[in-house]
Structures are given as C-alpha cells and as structure tokens.
Amino acid sequence: MYDFQFARPTSLDEAVKALSAEDAQALGGGQTLIPTLKQRLAAPEVLVSLTGIRELRFVRRDGDTLRVGGTATHGMVAREAAAEFPGLAGMAVRIGDPAVRNRGTIGGSLANNDPSACYPAAVLAANATVVTNSREIAADEFFDGMFTTALDEGEIITEVRFPIPERANYQKFEQPASHFALVGVMVAKHADGVRVGVTGASEDGVFRWTEAEDALSGNYAPEAVDGLTVSADGMIGDLHGTPEYRAHLVKVLTKRAVAAS
Amino acid sequence: MPKDFGIGASSKRREDVRFLTGKGRYTDDINLQGQLHGYFVRSEVAHGMLKRVATEAAAAMPGVHRVFTAADLESAGGLPCGWQITDRFGNPMHEPKHPVLAEGKVRHVGEPIAFVVADTVEQARDAAEAVEVEIEDLPPVLDMKAAVSGDGPLVHDEVPANLCFDWGFVEDNRDAVDEAIRNAPHVTTLELVNNRLVANPMEPRVAIADFDASTGDHTLYLTSQNPHLIRLLMGAFVLGIPEHKLRVVAPDVGGAFGSKIFLYNEEVACMFASIQLRRPVKWASTRSEAFVSDKHGRDHVTKIELALDDDGTFLALRTDTLANLGAYLSTIGSVTPTYLHGTLMAGNYKTPLIYVNVRTVFTNTVPVDAYRGAGRPEATYQLERVIDKAARELGIDPIELRRRNFVQPEDFPYATPVAVEYDTGDYGAVLDKLIEIADLAGFEARRKQSEANGLLRGLGVNTYIEACGIAPSNLVGQLGARAGFYDSATVRVNATGGLVVMAGTKAHGQGHETTFAQVVAEMIGIDETMIEVVQGDTAHTPMGMGSSGSRSIAVGGSAVVRATEKIINKAKKIAAHLMEAAEADVDLADGTFTVAGTDKTVAWGDVCLAAYVPHNYPLEDLEPGLEETAFYDPANFTFPAGAYACEVEIDPETGKVRIDRFAAADDFGNVINPMIVEGQVHGGIAQGIGQALLENCAYDENGQLISASYMDYAMPRASDLPMYVVDHSCQTPCTHNPLGVKGCGEAGAIGSPPAVVNAVLDALNSGGHKVDHIDMPVSPSRVWQAMQG
C-alpha cells in the first residue's frame, strides 16, 4: 500500500471533521478497503477509522424497529438480531468467515454497495432507513447502481433502522470462489405487503423484483411466483454464471426464501 | 497388530512439531545482513513488441540500487528445458529462447520485464511503478486450435504455427491403430478439456541470492523441491557459475505440488543482481504475482476414441491431444504432456493397440508444466471418461466393462503397447476392496432417498494406474532427458551410535524426516530418535534429483536402504573383529550384533564407538569411520494402482454438486508409514476434487487472466469435501526396489477427477435426464446449462 495518514476519532463530530480533509477516506471493518489498499488500487491521504466511535456500535430493538449502529459488525448482527429479526441474523451469519464477520461492518458494506454483497438485499427487502450524520435516506433512494450510493462525500452511516417484518428469509447461492452471493434473495413479508431484494444478479446492482412482490403480496406461497420469469437482460455474465443462469436463480431462490421464511 | 516403530508404523511426523508451533524455517524467514529487496515490473499485456523500457526515473528514486532489464542480462543464457522431445518425423522440438527478462517482445501477462533492487520492498515497488514501459500490442495467441491453424499470429516468430512439436507414441503403431478403429464394431468418441490449474501452494515462492565477492561463493536460498537440479541448471546453463562455487539451500518448503521443481526467471535475476551489486538480494512473491508467474498445470484438449468388440473387449485406443505449453518451454514442460502422459494411456487394461498423438502449442499464457500428477491425471481422466461413455453406449455396467479388460495377475510383468512394463499388480482385488469400503451395494437405496428429497444421485467408479520414479537413466536419456533420474543418500554414523541420513531428495511437506528415519531404524533395529534426516542443501547432501513425481520413497528411499546396507556390512566386519568371529556368522537384529551358535553379543553403539575410536580395530583391513554413500538408479518405474468411487448429489434446480461419499482403494505396494500415506491420499483427492468441481484458470479474449485471485479462482475448502474412506491393504510389492514400495504422492489427484465427473454424469443420466458430456470444472452453472440441453 501507499503511505497514508491514519485517524481514529472517538466521536462522530471528530470523524466528520477528519473526513472533510482532502482525499480522506472512511474505513469501516476494512474487509474491502484494506485489500484494495494492499493492491495499490486506492491512495487516500487520510484513512479515518470509524470503529473507535462507541456510539455507532450497537444492535437494539426499538418498538417494531431493529436499530443497527453503523459500525456494528456482521458477527454482532448475527448474534444480537437472532431473536428479534432472524431473517437478518441468518443473512449476517453467512457473510464471509468468522474473521470477516468480526471485522466487517454494516455501514461499510452499504457504503461500498458491492453488487454481490448481502446487506443491500436485506435493506431493500426490509424497507430499512439508512441514517447518516446529516439525514435519513429511504432504502429505495439509497442504492444507485454498482458501488454507487446516495451518500455524499464525507457522509457517515450512523445507523440502519429495519422495520421488523412478519416473516423474512435470505437465500444466498454462493459464487464458488469468493463465497459472495452469485445471487442472493431476501424476501420480507410486511403487514402492508411483500418486498423482494435481489443482490449479485444485476449489472445495475441490488434491485427489487416487483412482479414477485405483487404476486407474493396476494398469495404468500412459493407457487405464487411459478408463472413469473426473470429476464436475463442486464444480468451479470461472468466466469461463474451466465445472465440466464443468474435470472433462473433469482426465481429459485425467491421461492426457497418464501418457503423458509 | 500395528507396529509402533520402523517400517509399517504410523509414527507421528517429527517435522510437524515445528510446523504446527510456528517454528518452521521457510525461505522468507531468512534475512541476511545487508540484504536488498527486488521487485519485478511485469507485462500487463499478453503479447506485444517491447518498444522501450526507460529506467532512469526509477533508478533515481529513494533507496534504489539498480534497475535491471534484458540489456543488462546479455551475458546470461536463457532458461533451459530439461528434456528434448523428438517429433514423429524425427526432428528435434523447437526451443525458442526463454529469457530471464523479456527481450524485444512480451509473451504473457506477468512476464518479467525489469527488476528493481532497492533497500526495501516498498521502495522497489514504488520505483517499479516509475519504470516506463512502452509496448505495441500484438493480437494474442490463446485458443490452441486457432494457434496451430497456421494463419494466425505467432508467439515465437521462428516457430511455425506455434507448434513446438508433433509427437506420436508409439509412432510405429499408428497405422495398425487406425485400421483397428476403422474395422471395429463399436467406437466411442469423446472430446474433452483438461482444465488449466494454478498450483497455489500455501507458501509462495521466495529467493535470496548471496554472492560473496571475498570468496567467490554464491549461495541461493530458494523455495525448491530439487536444489541440486537448480544448482546444475542455473550454474551450468544460465549464469556460468561452477557448481563448487554455487550452493543452493531449500529450507522448509510449504507445499509445491510440482510448481517448485522448475528454474524460474526470478531466482536467476536475484543471483545476477547479487553478483552485480555485491549484496544479498531477496525477492518474495505476492499471491497475486504467483497467479501470473508460477507455472500453471494441465490445459489439454483431447479427442479420444476407444474401439470395442460387441462384448466390450477393448480393441484399440487413439488420442489426439493439443497440449498448451504457454509462452515458453518450462523446465520439464516438454515431457509432462508426452512421456509422462502417453505411457499411462493403457491404464489398467489390456488394450492391444494404442496410439497417442500430442501436439504442443505455444500461446500467450503463463508457461505450463508439471502439477501434481503431471501428465498422468490427463491420461487417466480421458481414458476413464471414455470407458464410462462406452459403457453407456453399449449398455454394459461400467464396473463390469472395466473388469473385463483388466490386466490379470498372471499377466505380470505386462508390457503395454505404450512402451512400459508393469511389474506387478492385482486390479481385480483393489476393485473388490473398493466395492466393499464404498458400500456400493447400498447405492441404489441411497439414490432412492436422494430422489425422494428432490435430488439426483450419481455414482462414478474408475481405476487408475500411476507411474512413479522415472527410470532408468540410460533409457530416459535415449528418450531425450538431459538429466539422470537416480537419487542418493549418505549415512553418517556418529561415534555414539546416532546417525544422520543426508538425502538427495527434498520433502516439501511429505514427512521424509519421519519416513526415512523409520526405514533406517527398521534396518538397524535402533530407535527412530537416533536418526536425523538432512535434506535440501547442496553443501550437505549428495547430488540427487529432489522430490517430484512421487519418486522420493521409491528412488530416494532405495538409496537410503543401499547406503544403510553398506553401513551394516562394514559394521558387521567391525563386530566380527570385536567378537573374534567370522564375519559371515555375524547377525544384526534389534541393534545388537550376535554370532550364530554362540552367546556372544556386541551392541550397535559399541561398534560405532570402535569405528571412531579404533583402539581395538582391524586397521590393516578396514578404514576407520562409519559413513557411506549410495546412488540408486531404478530398473523401472513403479506402478501404483487403485480404484476410486465417488457419489454426488445434484440439486437439479441450481446445478449445485455436493460430494456425498468418496472412497479410495490404493495399491502402493509396501507402506512405510500408513498415517502419512493416508494423508497423501487425502490431499491428492482434495486437489482432484478441486480440479473436477472448482478450479478454473481462465483467460479472457485479450489474454488477461480473469481468475487471478481467490475472488475468482475457487480452491477447495473443507466444506466442499466429504470425509473420505481410504484403504491401502491391497499390496503387491514393487518387484525391483529393495523396499517393495511404489509411491503415493500423486495418486489421489490422478484417480479422483474422473470419479467425480463420471458420478456427475451418472446423476445427470438419471431421473429422466440425459446429459452426454460435461467439462471440468463441473460448476453449478455448467451443470444447469448442460441440463437445459
């Protein structure tokens, strides 16, 4: 990696200030950023670690909402959301391996918006709200294509508020090498309807499969999506699967998520 | 009753104490006083003219000592190939120069162009980014069929149609095989790919070169399987360093799988730089560099035709293979797809007529060379796949079809039509053992259970033959080998009875420190802890060819036996003197010399002491001391064989294959350490399953390696593998080496890929599905695609 300055603020205000410096870069758990730095593919002047801010590290229930702090690790969510929101905990517990789960954070994952990451599917399906140091962003407004989000320069994810659905399940079909999602589908049944978040599949990043949502809102059963097809147009094609294969998996995993929820 | 020491005992691996407690000493653990660090500028394009390499800016950067390019290395030779193949028309193969640093052209992504040497790695890397490289892109040569068509671009201008050679084996059989296939009642044809692999040993390659100008001594610390071979190649062929002034040391080596046999550009550059700069120079590969610079493995495209009689008797076999050499001929890149592959095409069967045609092709990819099995997995895979296909076509049970064609116990020694003679074996017995340990009787019930769960279950059973310890040297010399294939050991007994075995082989994870000690302990009847094994240092071991091709116990172990026999013979003379007896009457057992028919005894330690404190000693007849060296050149290969069974479950909705059961019955002849043998089989199967299901070294249309990290190159994980059932109780001892051993290092990787793929195809031909063929790796997407028709 190239040389950089390192800051580890202990309060949100200090972090915001540190990130206002030129070429400053926020660091969550570093599970994507550190390998990128090691390959010399990024060269920030200042690396601002957010993990020293105690107030961002929590998982707690607040009425019908599960509130997850921006630097809560996947391991924390896997353990501490298990009773309140098992669909989310079940997703978190299959991210990476224990070392990754003990370092990687929800804020880091969402801000990076890797098209194969698991969290974006959960945030979309749960209709969560992404809270930052300056505003609240609805899930539908947050993701903006591969590796792109609504976040402004220097904006920090402080919290994610998940309305707890009646039923939810995440199905991940692993890419054989990375064990990222080749396709991942989160289905969440809310009082006012069903939402389906799909990751790994589309060249536009995470998306909602609205036809399935409509069908499942009317009949919450795997068979409800039998008659639907997912178009391969715009799906990712690579060494690990064709667009057609990914489109096919979206449907298979949606049905399985409904059955397992 | 299992033994608790010596041959046949599962002695714990003594080397594991240091490996498992972080005390292993690997090459990267070595740091020399005044050491500099090197970093390579590598080609980012697959094929192009090297127009300009400007190093001035880089050379002026902080800490930089020198930036070397091809122009600096004019005095150095190219990297040699160790085996000259003669093509089927009698011409020698093309041997284009393999430069240490790219000369005039770049021929693969990752090819070293410049070598920056600086005080620290970071400084060298910073300066490497400042080296200006101007390349005029040329269209890359990637697809082998297009490469040999004759009208595309050329990797080497002097090699027409990118064809290194066109090899026929055995050429004299060609017409007879053609005729037999023409006239056969049934011919099964299959075209398949043996996928390119990256070795991925846990420890990446490292080199430290240290030239001492005050003595003229050159020392190279290297991650190597064969330090003597490296010394010979680097010293005599590339840098002109006499062998007595070049020492190569391979400390603990953390896995290799063949990839650390070869002489590489990087260690030559380090030595050259050390000579120029009068300082030690270290280079340590990153994992990313390893993907584009470690020699790759496999990469064959083969058409195989098996002619059968109506009753399933094999009549003839013909293969037509394109084998990828990559951009340059690697150290044994020419022999891996030829003699190490063609000689195995008879498998375990009495096919009377066989013809193997291999065309080796230069492409703009990383050079390809030996990887665990080296030619033999390629042979086994195509043969065992085509047999299953023939069984489906003829409606004969695939196990029965194999059994009908086995070489029978009474046929040994059996001369195959592909120029080797199997000394011994019992393939039916091994297959029977497999059927028992794999519980094949329960397969149909398990299949019904899987189907009830919505899954497809398939069974793949195959046999394999392996050939270990290339030999003998005079024969392989006639076939083009430029080295001998003996191995060596020196046994140095100390005055108090302990001894050191100095071996010409070099373990890189196999546990030779334990097994060689077991052999000597058995022969003398002393405790294993009295024996130390030294290896990997040309200054402390006799010239040997190192560890590759599962040769160490069969060849190196035999040298240990011969040297120990010499020790025992001399010790008996000393004992006879001490006991005032005739030498012929002296026996050695359990570390004690006795005289037949008397109660006279003398202990091993007393004889050793007498050898070094020769106060009461026949000095007029016998030199003092107890140290002997033996070189062993085998009379033949050894031929391990086995039968493997794999059961898979496939999720028809996703194409995901799960290996549910895997069983291996092997005949390794006599076994020194059953635990170590089982470990080797486990590791080999894991790598075979890796090839069959997961690993895929893939290039895009521009010659960029797209599986260049673990994000895209899928290595087998524990969760991808079942617990294996392994057995090696069927033992037909090798007839021509003193231990009766055959070698076990590669068997698992040779026997397992066809078992996995045949199981997948069996599943995909059940439940109303029909899939004729699928290539490795059998990824979920490929299975799903195949099921779509």
Side-chain angles (χ1 to χ4, degrees), chain A residues 2 40 175 240 245 248 256, chain B residues 126 129 651 653-654 712:
Chain A
Y2 297 110
R40 295 189 160 196
Q175 192 255 56
H240 308 288
Y245 182 57
H248 166 77
R256 290 183 181 186
Chain B
D126 288 343
E129 290 179 4
D651 178 343
E653 282 192 320
T654 64
D712 287 297

Side-chain angles (χ1 to χ4, degrees), chain A residues 87-123:
Chain A
L88 186 69
M91 178 223 70
V93 80
R94 290 189 59 203
I95 299 174
D97 55 27
V100 168
R101 292 194 288 276
N102 285 332
R103 298 287 306 180
T105 64
I106 187 171
S109 175
L110 293 176
N112 190 45
N113 192 19
D114 187 303
S116 301
C118 298
Y119 261 118
V123 166

Side-chain angles (χ1 to χ4, degrees), chain A residues 28-163:
Chain A
Q31 298 306 291
T32 300
L33 184 53
I34 298 294
T36 306
L37 293 173
K38 286 172 78 174
Q39 291 180 75
R40 295 189 160 196
L41 295 174
E45 286 288 322
V46 189
L47 211 51
V48 182
S49 169
L50 304 178
T51 54
I53 308 170
R54 301 297 305 171
E55 67 202 72
L56 300 187
R57 205 173 185 82
F58 63 87
V59 177
R60 65 171 169 265
R61 184 171 186 150
D62 187 355
D64 292 335
T65 302
L66 186 79
R67 299 177 57 180
V68 180
T71 65
T73 64
H74 314 322
M76 283 174 66
V77 173
R79 286 188 301 273
E80 297 175 29
E84 313 291 350
F85 188 171
L88 186 69
M91 178 223 70
V93 80
R94 290 189 59 203
I95 299 174
D97 55 27
V100 168
R101 292 194 288 276
N102 285 332
R103 298 287 306 180
T105 64
I106 187 171
S109 175
L110 293 176
N112 190 45
N113 192 19
D114 187 303
S116 301
C118 298
Y119 261 118
V123 166
L124 266 192
N127 198 16
T129 300
V130 179
V131 183
T132 75
N133 56 305
S134 56
R135 57 183 167 147
E136 296 184 1
I137 309 170
D140 287 329
E141 308 301 321
F142 184 79
F143 303 103
D144 199 15
M146 284 190 184
F147 299 108
T148 312
T149 68
L151 291 173
D152 292 328
E153 199 75 15
E155 193 171 2
I156 298 170
I157 296 173
T158 56
E159 180 179 344
V160 184
R161 292 185 191 143
F162 293 91

Side-chain angles (χ1 to χ4, degrees), chain B residues 461-518:
Chain B
V461 174
N462 62 271
T463 59
Y464 76 87
I465 186 93
E466 143 85 304
C468 307
I470 305 174
S473 291
N474 53 2
L475 174 66
V476 295
Q478 288 168 28
L479 300 178
R482 289 165 168 162
F485 285 94
Y486 53 85
D487 223 289
S488 64
T490 294
V491 176
R492 177 181 294 163
V493 181
N494 298 318
T496 52
L499 60 87
V500 180
V501 176
M502 290 164 272
T505 52
K506 167 61 185 146
H508 38 285
Q510 295 91 337
H512 298 171
E513 291 168 50
T514 303
T515 41
F516 286 4
Q518 287 179 253

Side-chain angles (χ1 to χ4, degrees), chain B residues 173 218 254 280 301 307 325 339 406 422 493 502 507 534 542 576-577 653 756:
Chain B
N173 293 350
H218 306 71
V301 175
L325 293 176
Y339 288 108
F406 275 161
Y422 301 163
V493 181
M502 290 164 272
V534 171
H577 174 86
E653 282 192 320
V756 175

Side-chain angles (χ1 to χ4, degrees), chain B residues 151-435:
Chain B
D151 44 45
L154 296 176
V155 178
H156 299 276
D157 291 343
E158 67 272 36
V159 183
N162 298 301
L163 197 61
C164 181
F165 56 83
D166 179 348
W167 183 74
F169 189 66
V170 174
E171 190 60 21
D172 290 346
N173 293 350
R174 185 184 177 100
D175 292 343
V177 170
D178 286 351
E179 194 186 336
I181 288 177
R182 242 190 335 267
N183 299 329
H186 186 87
V187 179
T188 296
T189 304
L190 180 60
E191 186 165 333
L192 43 70
V193 171
N194 202 290
N195 43 325
R196 179 183 278 244
L197 303 175
V198 181
N200 282 303
M202 202 178 290
E203 177 204 28
R205 289 186 294 122
V206 182
I208 310 170
D210 180 19
F211 172 63
D212 183 341
S214 70
T215 60
D217 290 335
H218 306 71
T219 306
L220 175 68
Y221 300 91
L222 185 68
T223 47
S224 177
Q225 300 174 230
N226 30 237
H228 286 281
L229 190 63
I230 296 297
R231 183 177 66 159
L232 181 64
L233 293 174
M234 181 186 285
F237 292 93
V238 185
L239 292 178
I241 304 166
E243 283 181 271
H244 66 285
K245 299 305 265 183
L246 175 57
R247 175 184 172 202
V248 180
V249 184
D252 286 332
V253 176
F257 313 115
S259 71
K260 294 170 183 170
I261 295 171
F262 323 119
L263 179 67
Y264 281 93
N265 315 51
E266 289 86 357
E267 55 252 30
V268 175
C270 284
M271 183 57 77
F272 187 86
S274 179
I275 294 167
Q276 297 294 313
L277 298 170
R278 303 285 201 263
R279 297 270 293 270
V281 175
K282 181 176 191 173
W283 168 77
S285 175
T286 63
R287 184 62 68 184
S288 300
E289 277 182 293
F291 271 98
V292 294
S293 69
D294 288 5
K295 301 294 163 64
H296 292 172
R298 314 278 195 261
D299 204 348
H300 288 196
V301 175
T302 293
K303 180 184 175 191
I304 181 168
E305 296 158 283
L306 176 64
L308 307 94
D309 221 334
D310 290 325
D311 66 358
T313 303
F314 299 168
L315 301 174
L317 183 73
R318 179 168 64 193
T319 74
D320 176 8
T321 288
L322 288 171
N324 205 332
L325 293 176
Y328 297 102
L329 264 175
S330 176
T331 311
I332 53 171
S334 56
V335 68
T336 297
T338 52
Y339 288 108
L340 295 181
H341 159 237
T343 50
L344 267 290
M345 282 315 306
N348 310 56
Y349 313 104
K350 280 207 288 193
T351 312
L353 287 162
I354 298 176
Y355 179 70
V356 178
N357 187 199
V358 178
R359 287 171 291 161
T360 54
V361 187
F362 288 113
T363 60
N364 291 118
T365 61
V366 171
V368 179
D369 208 324
Y371 167 72
R372 199 171 194 169
R376 290 152 285 176
E378 294 90 319
T380 304
Y381 180 67
Q382 48 182 293
L383 180 61
E384 297 296 329
R385 282 284 314 273
V386 81
I387 292 172
D388 255 40
K389 187 174 182 197
R392 273 199 302 279
E393 289 177 356
L394 292 174
I396 302 175
D397 175 73
I399 295 176
E400 172 57 23
L401 180 60
R402 287 175 168 85
R403 211 189 274 278
R404 275 182 209 174
N405 287 283
F406 275 161
V407 178
Q408 296 298 323
E410 62 273 18
D411 296 327
F412 295 100
Y414 174 74
T416 73
V418 278
V420 290
E421 186 181 275
Y422 301 163
D423 60 339
T424 182
D426 187 343
Y427 307 144
V430 178
L431 182 58
D432 290 341
K433 175 56 73 174
L434 176 81
I435 288 168

